[in-house]
Amino acid sequence: MGTIEDLAEDMDVTAPTGYFASVDEVADRLAEAGYLASPAVATTVFLADRLGKPLLVEGPAGVGKTELAKAVAEVAGARLVRLQCYEGVDEARALYEWNHAKQLLRITAGREESWDETRTDIFSEEFLLPRPLLTAIRGADPKVLLIDETDKADVEVEGLLLEVLSDFQVTVPELGTVKASRRPFVVLTSNAARELSEALRRRCLFLHIGFPDAELEQRIVRLKVPGLDATLAASVVRVVGALRAMDLRKVPSVAETVDWARTLLALGADTLDETVVRQSLGVVLKHQEDVLKATAQLDLDAV
Amino acid sequence: MSPAASENSASGSGLAERLTGFVRALRAQGVRVGTGESVDAGLAVEVLGLADRERLRAGLAATLLHQEGQRAVFDQVFDLYFPRTVGAPDSVTEGQVSPGREELRDRLAAALAAGDGAGLEQIAAEAVDALGGYGSASGSDGWSAYQTLDRLRPQTLLARVLAALRAEAGETGSEAFTDRLTADEIRRRIERFRGLVATEARRRVAERRGTDEIARRAVLPSADRVDFLVAHSSRLAELHRTVGPLARKLATRLAARRRRAARGSIDLRRTVRRSLSTGGVPMRPVLRRRRPVRPELVLLCDVSGSVAGFAQFTMLLIQALHDQFSKVRVFAFVNCVDEVTDLLSRGRADPAGLGGRILTEATVTRWHDSSDYGTALGEFADRYAHTFTPRTCVFVLGDARTNRTPPGAAALRTVRDRARRVYWLNPERRALWDTGDSAASVYADVVDMYECRTVRQLGAIVGRLLPV
Ligand SMILES: Nc1ncnc2c1ncn2[C@@H]1O[C@H](COP(=O)(O)OP(=O)(O)OP(=O)(O)O)[C@@H](O)[C@H]1O
Ligand SMILES: [Mg+2]
């Protein structure tokens, strides 16, 4: 049985990816790529890099989980390979698939050949469609594998992930075993719509990203919305903080803070007052009942 | 570097021991840590060093925790095993006179106004030292967060802080929209300060009594390990927040069990029919699929006094899982039975108010306010048992404390004979069953009874028992 590429003899599956020399370096370089990491985020990314373990990032929507993986890829000069999970994603979408149409063409074209010859031929690399998990462990170039929104996939897919993330090798029955010669830096994200299995969790380092503290969020806003006045940025972050303390259907995330700041800049507002807040609250809150509740609690109907 | 850290880095074995103690304390608090994780934690310490305590915290959390729900417990235990300092606060050991209550209040007010986190931490340390010690000499018997806060009364500083901030803003002349947020922000800072005082008091006590013991006794357990029957009202809100995550976990569990149950025998006829497309060779067997009909669930809950918290939590949990079943009906009783299914589904937005709504809008008491299981079970059997189908599974929730009224085992037998399965969930410690007016074993002779004292226990039991 042939292999599609040279087997890396004994790659240590927990070998460090070795992109960073220190926690400070992680923070500095991510910041250059436009991602402002909290101390916990920088520390955990550094550990994942050093211990060579996949990083499971959990947290509410819009706190920068996906963005973190992209930023790591960018600063590491690595290719980002992304497996977007959804209900019904399967091995054929995640790992590899045979190109049936092309195989069929080949079979009909080669009528005078023996079946054995044809079979060897159509189950060769030329007819293989690699999907993200296989792509991520082939080749020697540096990669970041982002398995995004893992909680959306069905439980069966976890078994597959576990297998791939345990030895970074994949067996294609017709071809042989592909083993990573260079381990990718792996990031899994989850919104906890479904509880991931204990086994998968144990395979990973765990990082929960919550809402940033006020100081960090102000820096994010000012980075993403240049030209925004510092006092206005501070006010925006304070109001968003107050909204998060309310019992809403969906509290605003960093993404909404940034959107709101952008809107205010576009409106030419230089301070927050009742009118401005009332007019633009829809940018921050997505449900009408949340808007009503916030309007009441912020005393906006006074006028 | 904190003194504790430098002391440890001097001897590697001291550090290893501390890490082992830390992991042991986490396990005792219900955090599942495997050997693989402890090894990773050791590597994390090696890679990160001890110089930066918050990095160390983050690194240990990344290697030892697998879910955010256990973070509060983790932080408390971390603060004990990797304390920020050793002994009394530096200002005290440097021989300055320890500050009086008024001075501390002045400084606290200023730190609250400025949102000065490091300042709050320093003041918390000095406050515990100056006001929290008890025993013949201050601190000879221990340190109390309660006593510290009782003497310092940080909550009474709110008005003063607001006035100071207003005066400050008045000088610059402008009144801003965000002023209306200030009061709540200060309240949150006061809450934070209270937490810092608790952490500091635990640290000081641990120095006197031993870290291991304090980690065992004084760490606030995670919400899923709090006894339903003694849960303080302040923790009920926290409990309610765990309903969503637990429901998601159980739904996953049920889906897996359902799939396993459905993975039945091979359907020969359909396999042969499918094989026609492969020239009669049965390439892919067709599995017989089970009827996709979901079971029906009935909850009968004692909502009297002390067990009300348990009943409400379980009702909310089942409500959150209702799409897993073809039908869910919920009944409540103290001494008579009423259906509360609608009250439950209408009030999803206000879980905390559920108990109140049941007591005011449903008829669960007649003549008096104390529990009467016999009467309630009798009514339930008479009025509702005939509506059960072969797919109905009944859960009875309650402590089986009958107030010495007749237990009504015959009615429970009727219910059992009509339903597919009946389970009884008892929130009381098993050791207390049959003491006093508990008729636990009378009922346990008729149906299976399970001890369900905490969210964790409830989750494990319900995950196993819920029909699929
Ligand atoms: N620390 C940060 N530094 C820079 N930008 C950030 C940071 N956190 C969040 N953002 C901004 O927030 C936006 C949302 O981030 P992202 O899409 O990564 O969120 P997410 O956590 O993946 O959300 P979801 O769960 O919905 O996928 C990004 O466009 C990014 O600009
Ligand atoms: Mg995302």
Side-chain angles (χ1 to χ4, degrees):
Chain A
M1 187 182 281
T3 55
I4 2 184
E5 38 204 295
D6 291 339
L7 284 186
E9 281 299 281
D10 331 88
M11 190 207 54
D12 179 2
V13 288
T14 60
T17 35
Y19 292 140
F20 304 102
S22 69
V23 177
D24 289 322
E25 195 196 312
V26 174
D28 292 347
R29 284 170 59 195
L30 286 179
E32 283 164 30
Y35 191 92
L36 301 181
S38 68
V41 169
T43 305
T44 314
V45 167
F46 179 63
L47 264 191
D49 182 48
R50 272 309 160 97
L51 303 190
K53 290 197 85 175
L55 180 58
L56 169 61
V57 188
E58 242 177 28
V63 289
K65 301 184 293 292
T66 305
E67 200 74 9
L68 172 63
K70 290 185 185 165
V72 169
E74 184 180 331
V75 305
R79 175 146 71 102
L80 181 74
V81 180
R82 180 171 181 170
L83 171 61
Q84 180 65 48
C85 297
Y86 51 89
E87 218 183 308
V89 66
D90 57 4
E91 230 177 90
R93 296 284 139 196
L95 197 55
Y96 70 87
E97 194 172 18
W98 288 107
N99 189 340
H100 296 306
K102 203 169 163 191
Q103 284 176 327
L104 218 59
L105 277 176
R106 173 69 188 72
I107 293 170
T108 39
R111 288 202 186 281
E112 61 282 2
E113 266 177 9
S114 77
W115 169 239
D116 269 354
E117 281 171 322
T118 314
R119 194 181 48 196
T120 319
D121 201 32
I122 62 171
F123 288 112
S124 66
E125 182 138 11
E126 193 192 339
F127 298 90
L128 188 73
L129 295 172
R131 303 296 185 200
L133 292 181
L134 182 57
T135 306
I137 63 170
R138 294 171 83 192
D141 57 323
K143 291 185 209 70
V144 169
L145 169 61
L146 165 61
I147 303 174
D148 213 7
E149 313 200 353
T150 315
D151 51 331
K152 302 255 171 74
D154 308 302
V155 200
E156 289 81 6
V157 177
E158 277 187 34
L160 177 66
L161 293 179
L162 208 55
E163 225 177 288
V164 175
L165 298 184
S166 293
D167 1 306
F168 290 93
Q169 64 175 35
V170 168
T171 301
V172 182
E174 298 85 350
L175 281 179
T177 299
V178 188
K179 188 165 177 170
S181 58
R182 180 171 191 155
R183 223 189 59 87
F185 185 100
V186 184
V187 178
L188 299 94
T189 77
S190 162
N191 267 329
R194 180 172 67 70
E195 195 80 12
L196 302 181
S197 74
E198 186 87 358
L200 187 59
R201 289 175 175 275
R202 281 180 192 282
R203 193 65 208 92
C204 302
L205 292 184
F206 177 69
L207 171 65
H208 182 271
I209 306 187
F211 299 124
D213 62 24
E215 185 269 338
L216 177 57
E217 191 159 21
Q218 283 178 38
R219 285 198 289 128
I220 296 174
V221 168
R222 297 191 62 199
L223 180 76
K224 298 282 160 186
V225 193
L228 189 78
D229 171 70
T231 327
L232 183 54
S235 302
V236 164
V237 167
R238 280 180 71 189
V239 177
V240 168
L243 292 172
R244 283 180 194 149
M246 293 177 193
D247 187 18
L248 301 177
R249 263 179 74 181
K250 186 181 180 313
V251 293
S253 192
V254 184
E256 280 80 35
T257 316
V258 171
D259 285 347
W260 196 24
R262 238 175 234 138
T263 309
L264 294 173
L265 189 68
L267 288 174
D270 43 18
T271 56
L272 280 185
D273 60 32
E274 262 160 50
T275 323
V276 172
V277 175
R278 205 180 319 116
Q279 280 171 357
S280 55
L281 206 55
V283 179
V284 199
L285 300 177
K286 306 299 176 194
H287 297 283
Q288 189 53 29
E289 57 182 279
D290 286 352
V291 173
L292 291 176
K293 205 176 218 175
T295 306
Q297 291 189 26
L298 290 174
D299 276 336
L300 291 173
D301 355 70
V303 181
Chain B
M1 187 184 287
S2 72
S6 58
E7 189 183 286
N8 280 322
S9 59
S11 73
S13 73
L15 177 59
E17 233 164 71
R18 180 157 303 215
L19 200 55
T20 320
F22 176 57
V23 167
R24 207 183 310 122
L26 284 176
R27 285 190 184 131
Q29 291 293 333
V31 181
R32 284 204 209 116
V33 182
T35 29
E37 285 104 308
S38 337
V39 171
D40 283 347
L43 290 175
V45 175
E46 214 175 288
V47 167
L48 296 171
L50 297 163
D52 186 323
R53 198 168 158 257
E54 290 315 306
R55 284 181 186 174
L56 183 62
R57 189 196 294 270
L60 290 177
T63 46
L64 295 172
L65 280 188
H66 301 290
Q67 57 191 56
E68 184 59 9
Q70 291 172 327
R71 183 65 199 226
V73 163
F74 174 91
D75 279 338
Q76 293 177 66
V77 178
F78 178 86
D79 285 330
L80 284 173
Y81 283 84
F82 300 92
R84 43 179 278 281
T85 179
V86 168
D90 293 347
S91 55
V92 177
T93 49
E94 277 155 19
Q96 298 169 15
V97 259
S98 72
R101 174 177 181 272
E102 287 317 309
E103 186 199 328
L104 284 168
R105 276 173 64 87
D106 291 344
R107 284 168 51 204
L108 180 55
L112 287 170
D116 171 8
L120 290 179
E121 198 162 66
Q122 177 63 28
I123 297 165
E126 290 180 38
V128 169
D129 190 71
L131 308 174
Y134 60 91
S136 47
S138 175
S140 62
D141 286 348
W143 304 90
S144 157
Y146 177 81
Q147 180 183 307
T148 309
L149 292 168
D150 193 49
R151 292 186 178 162
L152 196 60
R153 302 207 157 267
Q155 67 280 15
T156 60
L157 287 171
L158 178 63
R160 187 166 138 192
V161 173
L162 287 175
L165 285 172
R166 214 171 296 128
E168 209 175 287
E171 279 163 28
T172 58
S174 62
E175 195 185 309
F177 172 81
T178 42
D179 289 350
R180 67 188 66 182
L181 310 178
T182 315
D184 280 337
E185 287 170 353
I186 303 300
R187 279 193 198 97
R188 288 200 286 271
R189 283 175 202 163
I190 292 175
E191 255 340 281
R192 195 158 160 253
F193 177 74
R194 301 173 77 92
L196 291 170
V197 168
T199 304
E200 174 69 5
R202 263 197 304 269
R203 178 184 77 75
R204 297 293 299 271
V205 176
E207 285 181 351
R208 184 164 302 274
R209 304 246 196 90
T211 307
D212 294 337
E213 188 192 334
I214 296 311
R216 234 183 354 261
R217 293 198 309 119
V219 168
L220 204 59
S222 57
D224 67 340
R225 284 164 52 92
V226 177
D227 217 307
F228 283 119
L229 298 186
V230 298
H232 199 263
S233 60
S234 66
R235 298 214 78 185
L236 282 180
E238 204 184 324
L239 275 184
H240 287 162
R241 278 195 293 279
T242 65
V243 167
L246 179 57
R248 287 195 292 271
K249 196 163 165 178
L250 289 174
T252 309
R253 204 71 181 268
L254 287 180
R257 278 179 47 205
R258 204 172 292 131
R259 241 189 322 272
R260 224 174 297 137
R263 204 182 294 149
S265 46
I266 293 178
D267 184 334
L268 200 59
R269 202 162 41 80
R270 288 179 54 221
T271 304
V272 170
R273 203 180 327 129
R274 181 186 277 180
S275 73
L276 294 182
S277 66
T278 47
V281 185
M283 305 268 283
R284 287 162 56 210
V286 180
L287 296 180
R288 206 184 299 278
R289 225 168 290 143
R290 262 190 7 148
R291 280 169 303 127
V293 192
R294 300 261 172 111
E296 296 179 13
L297 212 59
V298 169
L299 243 55
L300 175 64
C301 315
D302 176 359
V303 293
S304 66
S306 63
V307 295
F310 168 62
Q312 280 164 42
F313 183 91
T314 312
M315 287 186 211
L316 291 167
L317 182 66
I318 296 300
Q319 168 66 27
L321 283 167
H322 78 278
D323 53 0
Q324 300 286 326
F325 305 100
S326 65
K327 195 171 187 184
V328 175
R329 293 184 75 181
V330 183
F331 300 87
F333 69 92
V334 174
N335 51 51
C336 62
V337 179
D338 200 0
E339 177 158 11
V340 297
T341 311
D342 288 342
L343 279 179
L344 193 59
S345 51
R346 264 191 289 130
R348 235 172 298 178
D350 175 27
L354 176 64
R357 281 201 308 277
I358 288 178
L359 292 180
T360 54
E361 295 180 37
T363 311
V364 291
T365 57
R366 200 180 294 135
W367 318 121
H368 58 90
D369 286 340
S370 41
S371 295
D372 182 343
Y373 275 74
T375 307
L377 283 169
E379 278 183 19
F380 181 68
D382 287 349
R383 281 200 249 148
Y384 303 107
H386 68 274
T387 65
F388 295 168
T389 74
R391 280 177 287 117
T392 304
C393 184
V394 180
F395 281 82
V396 183
L397 277 56
D399 58 5
R401 295 210 167 262
T402 57
N403 270 307
R404 311 205 182 276
T405 53
L412 185 61
R413 229 170 278 128
T414 309
V415 172
R416 180 197 63 192
D417 294 342
R418 287 284 188 153
R420 180 169 127 207
R421 286 306 296 262
V422 179
Y423 302 105
W424 189 304
L425 306 181
N426 189 334
E428 234 179 23
R429 200 142 46 92
R430 197 177 280 270
L432 294 177
W433 293 6
D434 289 336
T435 63
D437 62 343
S438 163
S441 60
V442 174
Y443 299 126
D445 282 344
V446 182
V447 300
D448 293 337
M449 186 177 279
Y450 296 86
E451 178 194 272
C452 246
R453 291 161 62 198
T454 62
V455 170
R456 177 175 288 215
Q457 247 181 346
L458 177 70
I461 289 170
V462 164
R464 201 147 40 80
L465 298 186
L466 277 179
V468 293

